[in-house]
Amino acid sequence: MQLSFFCSILPVVMKMYADVLVEIRNKHVDKTFTYHIPKTLEEDAEVGKRVLVLFGSQQIEGYILALKNNSDVEAKDLLEILDEEPVLNEEMLELGKFLQEKTLSSLSNCYSAMLPKALKASKKTQIHKKEVLYLSLTEELEEALEKVTSASQKDVLALFENETRVLKTKANKVSASAVNTLIKNGILNLEKEEVYRYQIKNQERESAKVLNEEQQSAKDKIIASLQKSEIFLLHGVTGSGKTEVYLSVIEEVLKLGKEAIVLVPEISLTPQFVGVFSKRFPNDIAVLHSHLSDGEKYDEWRKILKGEVHICIGARSASFAPFTNLGIIIMDEEHSESYKQESSPRYFALDVLKKRSQTHHCPLVLGSATPTLDSMAHAHKKLYTYLPMKKRAQNAVLPECILVDMAEEVKNRHPIISRELECSIIEKLNQNEQIMLLLNRRGHSTTITCSNCGFTYRCPHCEISLTYHKSSKNLRCHYCGYTKYIDEYCPNCHEKSLNYYGLGTEKLEEYLENIFPTARIVRMDRDSTTNKGTLEKITEDFLNHKYDILLGTQMISKGLDFPNVTLMGILDADASLQIPDYKSNERTFALLSQASGRAGRKEKKGMVILQTFQPENYIFQCVKEHSYFKFYKYEMNIRKTLKYPPFYYLVLLTFKSKDYTAVRKEALKAKEFLEQNKDPETILLGPTTANMFLVNGIYHFEILIKYRFDDKLINTIKELDEFVLLNKKVTMDIDFHY
Ligand code: ADP
Ligand code: ZN
């Protein structure tokens, strides 16, 4: 009693002023400014909504971060409030600040990364409304049918047999005039309603599989911690049935009325994968991935915001799915590099998910056949709970893996497909089984050189040779997108003597068509799947055995489940080892293990043929033996010796400018500043020119910082960014690694 009395005399907070974070891509303006809220907008003003304000003479967007009664400064009026409901709730507002600290990028940049693109003012993506027909409230279908005599009206009403709502456009196809009459006579009601642009294909509902022992044990452990922010590492070999574990855990979470996020790398976010979920949880899923249009993504996001679905499946950005009552967070293929954003804010989805798991007191499950060294090290230290699944579901065995020495094959004039692989392909074709071939390089030929004068086509903006794309008959730079028409004659000596070297997926396709003329062959890479729906079509057709051979880039290495595939050929296993990066061993091992995992997933035993010029390489031996731990031990040793993660943290500073002298000077200045302010144990490397020194006409210099305990480092970098480097021509990217 007394309490409520007390409450009622508390002063009502007047919403006179708003602190607005303006959306300007300039770190020096990354703070809030106070605006006065005009009387007319007072009621609508809420924290987390987007607003339009005058900044200088410019109209720009911003977010309301706080409301207050008074202001020390003279404030301009807010111009407009853009949202009916806040787009950032309290958790998201906090999460943005957390990201800002983690990535040292601007707060407004962080918020905009968290929201769907459609919410940017420049893109006027509207909510889609369509006219929808209902039977009038009092009408039962039978009653309605009795009232009408015309056949076409009866046909329109027949649409309501299985549906309660029917799109007017659909009914009009039966008979537009009948529809109008039905509306006029009050039998049908017409309403304008929001319709979602994206629909998961309706599929038959599927019930849960009986879990095997390993799956059950994993599930039980996760379920036992459903109210805790515990992190699990689900280390299951390829085909061990991790997805089934996710599904069964989600089922329990839904029973509690809670929600689930399932993060999947972009390339494994296939219709097949989404289908598995939607068959189990029909109409309860939002999907967020880059194949959707901005409008579709916006709709999916709002399904979550409005609480219409409980599950979100999506790529990296789905970590920001605006759920308010999370019960489980799953990160499938947790080793995937797509979980790190490579533009500002350069965040790790894992950091976001850990934070959300703490906020919501719910478990986070990291699943992989090849966990990152970092995750496995966490599991070793018991910071993550380790859940192994060593066997394939349904007792399928892991495929046999053969290493073929390509040096021998080149001598025997089999430089593309080794004799061993060729024989195996023929054998599988004869047995009516399917084959996958991995070549992680798209295009036709990777180098075009003149045999007369030695001329090579290079990108004029970058430092690399251009790739020939036969299907589009042009040369392309895979870094900056520069394209060039190709002539029959050398542009330098004008002789007809151009040679096409290097193997890409297009050339491989041609080659295969020549040596296996009766085989049905299909290619999957970024070029063959640009049109909407093609990826789905290729997957479905291959699954239905309309093709015998599927060749492709790493797009084919993950997530796909084709029971009839018994042979996986890996054509250029060495390629990813040659990339100069401390992670290239880890990346190669994961790619090849994942790819191997596509073969022999059901009753039929699988086989993998791995073509390499270095068959004795330890990484390939580990792949051959399916021995993650052998690889783990080996690689951890290297990382320790060379002071790389997970023993050291890394920050890569990249200095960029069109002006070579300026960028070099700033990089040296930065080095000096860091040298003076760092912890003695912290290691500085560089400045050196980056691997890709010149991209799109911009010069790149790098400084690599390796550190373990350096409390001041973050502040030092912030200072460097804000006060030390003031040359407007040079920008500095800050990129944390672990
Ligand atoms: P992973 O993601 O671990 O590579 P999947 O989840 O794709 O493996 O499962 C591999 C195959 O085994 C799938 O076809 C799946 O339907 C099947 N499967 C998984 N668990 C079971 C089970 N308990 N009983 C029967 N089949 C299963
Ligand atoms: Zn280029």
Side-chain angles (χ1 to χ4, degrees):
M1 190 64 192
Q2 232 179 355
L3 193 68
S4 72
F5 172 71
F6 195 65
C7 287
S8 68
I9 57 161
L10 276 176
V12 186
V13 180
M14 302 280 283
K15 298 188 293 187
M16 304 269 293
Y17 295 94
D19 285 337
V20 174
L21 177 75
V22 291
E23 273 232 294
I24 285 195
R25 311 234 150 199
N26 178 346
K27 279 188 196 167
H28 303 278
V29 195
D30 192 41
K31 55 183 177 192
T32 57
F33 294 88
T34 304
Y35 284 86
H36 175 254
I37 306 171
K39 267 266 170 294
T40 49
L41 298 180
E42 223 169 68
E43 204 173 316
D44 289 337
E46 271 183 85
V47 171
K49 285 186 178 178
R50 291 168 312 138
V51 291
L52 204 61
V53 295
L54 213 52
F55 190 78
S57 58
Q58 242 186 320
Q59 277 196 17
I60 55 173
E61 265 190 41
Y63 306 92
I64 301 184
L65 296 195
L67 295 169
K68 55 191 186 185
N69 275 333
N70 40 41
S71 165
D72 315 333
V73 293
E74 200 179 320
K76 289 183 201 158
D77 272 359
L78 271 186
L79 300 179
E80 206 182 313
I81 290 175
L82 298 170
D83 299 309
E84 280 175 29
E85 298 294 328
V87 292
L88 293 165
N89 62 24
E90 211 175 302
E91 186 198 1
M92 293 298 151
L93 287 166
E94 276 304 308
L95 205 51
K97 289 176 192 159
F98 168 79
L99 269 192
Q100 181 193 21
E101 275 303 304
K102 278 273 174 194
T103 62
L104 301 188
S105 69
S106 74
L107 185 57
S108 70
N109 225 348
C110 294
Y111 286 141
S112 80
M114 293 165 59
L115 293 171
K117 269 212 196 78
L119 291 175
K120 301 278 152 359
S122 52
K123 316 214 170 183
K124 280 270 173 271
T125 314
Q126 301 289 341
I127 292 171
H128 245 234
K129 293 215 167 153
K130 284 207 176 147
E131 294 180 312
V132 182
L133 296 166
Y134 286 92
L135 287 174
S136 302
L137 284 179
T138 52
E139 303 280 354
E140 288 290 328
L141 180 56
E142 273 174 33
E143 243 179 275
L145 281 169
E146 274 168 24
K147 281 193 195 165
V148 304
T149 46
S150 116
S152 58
Q153 289 182 29
K154 278 187 197 294
D155 288 345
V156 170
L157 290 177
L159 295 173
F160 290 85
E161 231 158 67
N162 300 315
E163 309 279 346
T164 53
R165 55 195 288 283
V166 172
L167 288 181
K168 182 156 181 273
T169 46
K170 184 174 165 194
N172 279 346
K173 281 197 192 122
V174 179
S175 160
S177 67
V179 170
N180 284 334
T181 316
L182 287 165
I183 296 170
K184 207 171 73 199
N185 295 343
I187 294 171
L188 290 182
N189 273 352
L190 180 68
E191 268 163 45
K192 273 206 161 183
E193 265 182 24
E194 168 166 17
V195 282
Y196 297 128
R197 277 156 276 206
Y198 176 74
Q199 295 290 341
I200 298 176
K201 244 205 269 170
N202 257 338
Q203 282 158 319
E204 242 169 79
R205 198 183 178 113
E206 224 168 55
S207 49
K209 293 192 167 68
V210 181
L211 298 184
N212 65 33
E213 222 172 281
E214 286 184 325
Q215 288 173 320
Q216 187 65 43
S217 152
K219 174 191 170 177
D220 290 345
K221 291 205 177 106
I222 300 168
I223 297 297
S225 293
L226 273 192
Q227 317 288 350
K228 279 194 277 184
S229 161
E230 185 168 343
I231 303 177
F232 294 92
L233 179 59
L234 180 62
H235 181 198
V237 297
T238 54
S240 57
K242 293 183 284 292
T243 317
E244 209 53 45
V245 175
Y246 305 151
L247 291 166
S248 68
V249 171
I250 292 174
E251 203 164 322
E252 301 298 322
V253 166
L254 296 185
K255 279 185 203 155
L256 299 174
K258 294 191 173 189
E259 299 144 343
I261 291 179
V262 184
L263 224 63
V264 188
E266 195 66 56
I267 55 170
S268 7
L269 195 53
T270 57
Q272 203 186 7
F273 189 88
V274 175
V276 170
F277 281 77
S278 68
K279 281 178 198 165
R280 283 284 282 280
F281 310 110
N283 303 319
D284 211 4
I285 298 173
V287 180
L288 288 175
H289 67 86
S290 67
H291 274 275
L292 302 185
S293 68
D294 287 347
E296 286 173 330
K297 274 187 232 165
Y298 182 41
D299 288 353
E300 294 297 298
W301 184 81
R302 279 199 347 283
K303 281 183 198 168
I304 302 169
L305 199 67
K306 292 197 268 179
E308 290 175 7
V309 294
H310 290 87
I311 303 166
C312 174
I313 304 178
R316 182 179 60 236
S317 66
S319 23
F320 303 112
F323 285 125
T324 51
N325 190 15
L326 279 171
I328 185 84
I329 305 173
I330 292 161
M331 191 185 213
D332 190 31
E333 314 273 8
E334 64 96 30
H335 61 278
S336 169
E337 290 182 271
S338 68
Y339 290 140
K340 163 90 183 290
Q341 176 150 307
E342 290 302 347
S343 59
S344 177
R346 293 184 164 74
Y347 70 90
F348 287 90
L350 183 58
D351 287 333
V352 177
L353 298 184
K354 281 183 179 173
K355 174 88 177 154
R356 295 198 77 184
S357 143
Q358 285 162 8
T359 309
H360 290 265
H361 306 286
C362 74
L364 167 59
V365 179
L366 310 177
S368 176
T370 52
T372 61
L373 296 186
D374 186 69
S375 294
M376 188 53 81
H378 274 75
H380 263 187
K381 287 194 209 150
K382 306 254 187 302
L383 296 168
Y384 296 171
T385 308
Y386 185 63
L387 305 173
M389 297 207 297
K390 294 179 182 144
K391 290 198 292 278
R392 281 190 156 180
Q394 304 171 297
N395 295 322
V397 287
L398 285 168
E400 181 190 355
C401 182
I402 295 166
L403 299 179
V404 174
D405 183 357
M406 287 310 283
E408 283 300 309
E409 298 303 309
V410 170
K411 278 186 220 151
N412 286 294
R413 298 179 176 276
H414 271 261
I416 298 180
I417 304 272
S418 59
R419 290 163 295 175
E420 182 102 42
L421 182 54
E422 189 175 321
C423 289
S424 300
I425 293 177
I426 292 168
E427 189 189 318
K428 297 299 174 191
L429 288 173
N430 287 337
Q431 289 167 355
N432 213 20
E433 293 172 359
Q434 286 168 289
I435 299 139
M436 285 167 83
L437 297 175
L438 172 72
L439 175 68
N440 206 6
R441 209 177 307 114
R442 64 202 174 87
H444 184 271
S445 317
T446 47
T447 316
I448 320 293
T449 300
C450 173
S451 58
N452 186 45
C453 73
F455 167 85
T456 301
Y457 273 108
R458 287 180 178 280
C459 175
H461 312 293
C462 310
E463 272 286 272
I464 57 160
S465 59
L466 294 170
T467 298
Y468 173 53
H469 286 251
K470 196 168 183 181
S471 51
S472 50
K473 294 194 188 55
N474 62 10
L475 293 161
R476 275 189 240 163
C477 171
H478 284 186
Y479 278 87
C480 72
Y482 169 84
T483 60
K484 186 178 170 53
Y485 170 76
I486 183 165
D487 202 7
E488 271 180 82
Y489 301 92
C490 171
N492 187 43
C493 68
H494 310 290
E495 288 292 318
K496 201 171 171 177
S497 49
L498 288 175
N499 282 316
Y500 295 70
Y501 296 107
L503 180 68
T505 44
E506 277 183 15
K507 196 196 266 182
L508 175 63
E509 188 180 18
E510 263 175 32
Y511 179 80
L512 292 170
E513 279 164 359
N514 272 326
I515 56 170
F516 307 114
T518 56
R520 297 162 302 169
I521 299 166
V522 66
R523 171 167 64 93
M524 192 195 277
D525 55 29
R526 218 191 310 158
D527 303 313
S528 76
T529 54
T530 42
N531 291 335
K532 221 176 163 160
T534 43
L535 182 67
E536 285 84 340
K537 179 117 184 54
I538 296 174
T539 314
E540 204 175 302
D541 287 350
F542 189 62
L543 188 66
N544 295 327
H545 205 161
K546 290 189 181 158
Y547 297 106
D548 304 302
I549 302 178
L550 171 67
L551 72 114
T553 54
Q554 57 163 337
M555 264 179 133
I556 66 166
S557 68
K558 286 184 190 166
L560 297 169
D561 191 17
F562 301 117
N564 194 41
V565 170
T566 50
L567 174 63
M568 178 69 167
I570 299 169
L571 268 67
D572 189 356
D574 308 334
S576 69
L577 271 187
Q578 283 150 6
I579 299 167
D581 181 332
Y582 77 96
K583 271 197 178 156
S584 59
N585 280 348
E586 185 174 356
R587 201 180 286 135
T588 306
F589 179 77
L591 174 68
L592 300 185
S593 304
Q594 292 290 337
S596 308
R598 295 313 106 204
R601 290 168 72 83
K602 289 283 162 75
E603 305 84 39
K604 298 173 190 162
K605 186 163 167 36
M607 179 171 170
V608 179
I609 294 180
L610 210 151
Q611 303 190 158
T612 165
F613 283 94
Q614 26 179 332
E616 70 299 333
N617 187 308
Y618 200 79
I619 306 297
F620 298 139
Q621 296 296 334
C622 296
V623 173
K624 178 182 155 86
E625 293 167 27
H626 306 292
S627 178
Y628 174 84
F629 284 105
K630 206 167 152 179
F631 165 75
Y632 176 74
K633 254 177 90 180
Y634 171 78
E635 189 63 16
M636 285 294 269
N637 247 325
I638 296 181
R639 298 283 182 89
K640 192 170 183 176
T641 315
L642 299 181
K643 300 194 163 80
Y644 276 114
F647 298 95
Y648 275 70
Y649 299 108
L650 300 185
V651 193
L652 182 69
L653 304 179
T654 307
F655 303 85
K656 303 195 285 198
S657 175
K658 282 189 166 24
D659 181 338
Y660 175 87
T661 323
V663 67
R664 194 166 165 275
K665 206 171 128 203
E666 287 302 292
L668 287 167
K669 191 159 127 197
K671 168 81 177 275
E672 205 180 291
F673 181 76
L674 291 167
E675 200 73 72
Q676 285 159 6
N677 291 285
K678 74 177 185 65
D679 183 276
E681 257 205 74
T682 297
I683 301 163
L684 292 180
L685 299 173
T688 55
T689 54
N691 285 337
M692 286 301 301
F693 171 49
L694 181 64
V695 179
N696 213 355
I698 294 172
Y699 294 95
H700 290 60
F701 275 81
E702 290 174 349
I703 293 177
L704 185 66
I705 309 170
K706 296 178 175 181
Y707 68 103
R708 285 210 293 183
F709 317 99
D710 193 340
D711 297 339
K712 289 190 309 186
L713 185 69
I714 302 298
N715 269 329
T716 304
I717 296 174
K718 273 190 202 167
E719 267 176 51
L720 182 64
D721 197 24
E722 281 181 44
F723 308 115
V724 182
L725 304 175
L726 294 172
N727 189 326
K728 289 243 165 12
K729 283 194 268 181
V730 181
T731 57
M732 177 174 87
D733 288 348
I734 306 165
D735 192 0
F736 289 87
H737 291 253
Y738 59 71

